[in-house]
Amino acid sequence: MTGNLLEPASVDDLRTQLSGRVVTPSDGDYEDVRNIFNAMIVARPQLIARCADADDVKAALAFARNNRLEIAVRSGGHSVAGACLVDGGLVIDTRPMNHVAVDPERATVTVGGGTSWGEFDRGTQPYGLATTGGRVSTTGVAGLTLGGGSGWLERKHGLACDNLLSIDLVTADGREVTANEQENPDLFWGLHGAGGNFGVATSLTFRLHRLPEFSIALLLWPADEGRSIAGIYRDLIATAPDEVGGGMLYMTGPPEEFVPPHLVGQLTCGVLVTYCGAEPALREVAAPLLAAAPHGQVITNIPYADLQCMLDDPPGFRNYWTDEHLRELPDEALDRYCERAYDMVVPSASQYALLPWGGAVTHGRDWPGFNRATPWAVHPLGLWEDPADDDRVIGWARDVRAAMRPWSSGDVYLNFIGDEGTDRVVAGYGEENYRKLARIKAEFDPENIFNRWHNIHPAR
């Protein structure tokens, strides 16, 4: 365990200081509050401070410091490495801070630090406005954005962090600071990819974009047609307008109405084409894929927020994710990618994605994230139930990385991986950026209190 064993009177004292709740293992809802997306993470904090505002965050930080407790910060709970839990320590749970305030005239939105993307998108959709968010609705806005923020709209509107205008933080010493282009600009730079290394996000303001119409094509084939489809998809993306997003993936065919019986429960090749516009224009863009006679398909206009909910991964699975970025995608690389699909555990909730960057992602500013010129990412996501499959699934994901390494660009999007060591963290930022981030860390968190998410060590 991490930290001292607390006396009940001490815990009661913290309760009196918070507007929100303090949850301990003796509370009936402790497990529900503690559970995170990755069922492999079994850390059991002594306290979960469900913070209602910045004052609650400051009180929880002070309590942890005075009692020598390690802390973790939670917004959505989707960190695959379990950065939002700490065994024996204190979790600052910001989920009660989930307000959404839209300014339609300025096309901006301000949200609380615990807001989920589902709450964000439902709040902006009535105004015909949106910005790049996560690929599922249950991910936390703060965690995804501060790690970069990849999502379906990124080729048109950039990453989530590219649309971040301002952020309010509580730092390790209990200060409330605002970071934007004018205030604390170096900190603002660091928050575009360096995650929760500098403080607890209590409020974030974003630029929004008009999105009056949105459409998707979800297309399925048997796995043995996957190599042919991969080539068509690669060539389609090479000339696709920025309005096109999505990705190719292998998965277990789900028992849905649009999935033909011969694909249900079987290894299946799928392509999701998202389009910032109406269905007729989408069909024109996706014509090469439609000509390949998908065995199952959904092609429709859909509210963007509905897509975000449609692909929600179910909680309760064991998870292992990793990522390899590719500087090019020749035929041999596609051969390797498709071959490795047959090593997946099927049936399972695992997914094996080939994701295109490009478009507005390449136009983003020089934030401390991955190499924006990288055109492709291979992203195996292992999700399974039986602990006996741990070595098999984790081995498969690592083998995928090894197989694709001849074409690797060497960088990595850190939100796509768990704890893979310091070298991978440095690769996620680049060595020069990492050194600058270490100097910023030394200013705002010299004791390295915030050390759970792809830790940046303070410069000495």
Side-chain angles (χ1 to χ4, degrees):
M1 291 181 68
T2 303
N4 299 322
L5 188 63
L6 298 171
E7 296 292 335
S10 177
V11 177
D12 289 341
D13 181 56
L14 178 60
R15 285 193 171 102
T16 65
Q17 298 178 51
L18 297 191
S19 300
R21 285 185 64 212
V22 175
V23 179
T24 69
S26 62
D27 289 310
D29 60 347
Y30 174 81
E31 290 299 334
D32 288 339
V33 175
R34 185 199 71 85
N35 282 342
I36 60 174
F37 188 72
N38 185 358
M40 291 185 73
I41 308 300
V42 295
R44 297 181 62 81
Q46 289 192 71
L47 301 172
I48 302 173
R50 306 210 69 196
C51 297
D53 52 32
D55 287 338
D56 280 5
V57 173
K58 290 191 288 185
L61 280 171
F63 182 88
R65 183 168 55 248
N66 293 338
N67 289 277
R68 292 181 295 167
L69 296 173
E70 285 205 23
I71 67 159
V73 181
R74 174 171 186 168
S75 55
H78 274 250
S79 163
V80 70
C84 42
L85 287 181
V86 58
D87 202 27
L90 183 150
V91 172
I92 296 174
D93 184 348
T94 64
R95 285 176 292 172
M97 303 164 60
N98 62 347
H99 60 272
V100 177
V102 179
D103 185 335
E105 293 186 2
R106 296 183 178 180
T108 63
V109 60
T110 298
V111 302
T115 306
S116 71
W117 281 106
E119 293 163 334
F120 183 110
D121 296 327
R122 293 296 178 193
T124 62
Q125 183 169 282
Y127 302 96
L129 298 169
T131 201
T132 305
R135 289 181 170 84
V136 296
S137 69
T138 53
T139 305
V141 171
L144 184 120
T145 301
L146 300 185
S150 176
W152 302 125
L153 301 182
E154 64 196 4
R155 283 171 48 85
K156 178 63 176 176
H157 297 303
L159 303 179
C161 73
D162 296 333
N163 294 286
L164 182 64
L165 298 175
S166 187
I167 181 169
D168 295 333
L169 291 177
V170 177
T171 60
D173 58 4
R175 286 180 294 153
E176 292 185 60
V177 302
T178 297
N180 51 44
E181 294 283 8
Q182 291 75 40
E183 302 174 81
N184 297 299
D186 282 350
L187 175 61
F188 189 57
W189 175 85
L191 291 166
H192 286 70
N197 268 281
F198 306 112
V200 182
T202 57
S203 178
L204 304 94
T205 299
F206 292 86
R207 177 189 304 109
L208 297 173
H209 306 273
R210 291 286 302 162
L211 191 64
E213 291 187 284
F214 188 73
S215 54
I216 63 167
L218 179 56
L219 313 172
L220 300 178
W221 292 265
D224 60 9
E225 296 185 36
R227 176 58 184 86
S228 172
I229 300 306
I232 295 170
Y233 181 67
R234 176 195 59 190
D235 296 343
L236 182 152
I237 289 295
T239 59
D242 292 353
E243 285 78 8
V244 171
M248 174 179 169
L249 76 162
Y250 286 91
M251 62 181 182
T252 299
E256 300 290 345
E257 184 176 343
F258 73 96
V259 181
H262 67 279
L263 294 184
V264 174
Q266 304 299 312
L267 183 64
T268 302
C269 168
V271 173
L272 174 65
V273 182
T274 64
Y275 188 73
C276 297
E279 178 190 336
L282 166 66
R283 286 182 177 272
E284 290 184 21
V285 169
L289 290 166
L290 299 180
H295 292 225
Q297 64 181 42
V298 174
I299 307 174
T300 185
N301 287 335
I302 186 174
Y304 171 69
D306 287 0
L307 170 66
Q308 294 289 72
C309 299
M310 187 176 77
L311 301 177
D312 283 357
D313 294 321
F317 286 96
R318 304 171 77 79
N319 279 246
Y320 184 86
W321 316 338
T322 190
D323 176 39
E324 195 69 37
H325 286 185
L326 308 181
R327 65 183 184 276
E328 58 182 345
L329 194 59
D331 286 346
E332 187 181 355
L334 282 183
D335 292 342
R336 294 267 190 98
Y337 166 74
C338 295
E339 288 166 2
R340 289 308 182 275
Y342 291 91
D343 296 327
M344 289 174 60
V345 174
V346 176
S348 77
S350 293
Q351 300 176 6
Y352 179 30
L354 177 66
L355 300 173
W357 299 117
V361 174
T362 65
H363 307 149
R365 287 185 41 187
D366 187 23
W367 306 118
F370 63 89
N371 179 4
R372 296 294 190 108
T374 300
W376 292 96
V378 172
H379 184 28
L381 299 98
L383 290 87
W384 69 104
E385 294 183 273
D386 188 349
D389 283 328
D390 286 3
D391 290 344
R392 177 183 173 190
V393 178
I394 293 171
W396 161 70
R398 291 173 175 170
D399 286 347
V400 165
R401 276 199 63 212
M404 305 309 296
R405 202 161 289 145
W407 303 279
S408 173
S409 61
D411 58 297
V412 60
Y413 172 47
L414 293 172
N415 270 356
F416 277 177
I417 71 171
D419 183 2
E420 298 185 6
T422 300
D423 288 347
R424 285 279 271 172
V425 175
V426 175
Y429 302 122
E431 292 185 7
E432 182 177 346
N433 283 343
Y434 184 88
R435 287 192 290 269
K436 181 176 178 180
L437 290 167
R439 294 192 293 271
I440 299 170
K441 183 72 174 278
E443 178 180 354
F444 288 95
D445 183 16
E447 297 180 10
N448 202 19
I449 300 299
F450 300 109
N451 57 33
R452 303 286 297 161
W453 188 90
H454 299 304
N455 186 215
I456 296 166
H457 296 275
R460 300 297 182 189

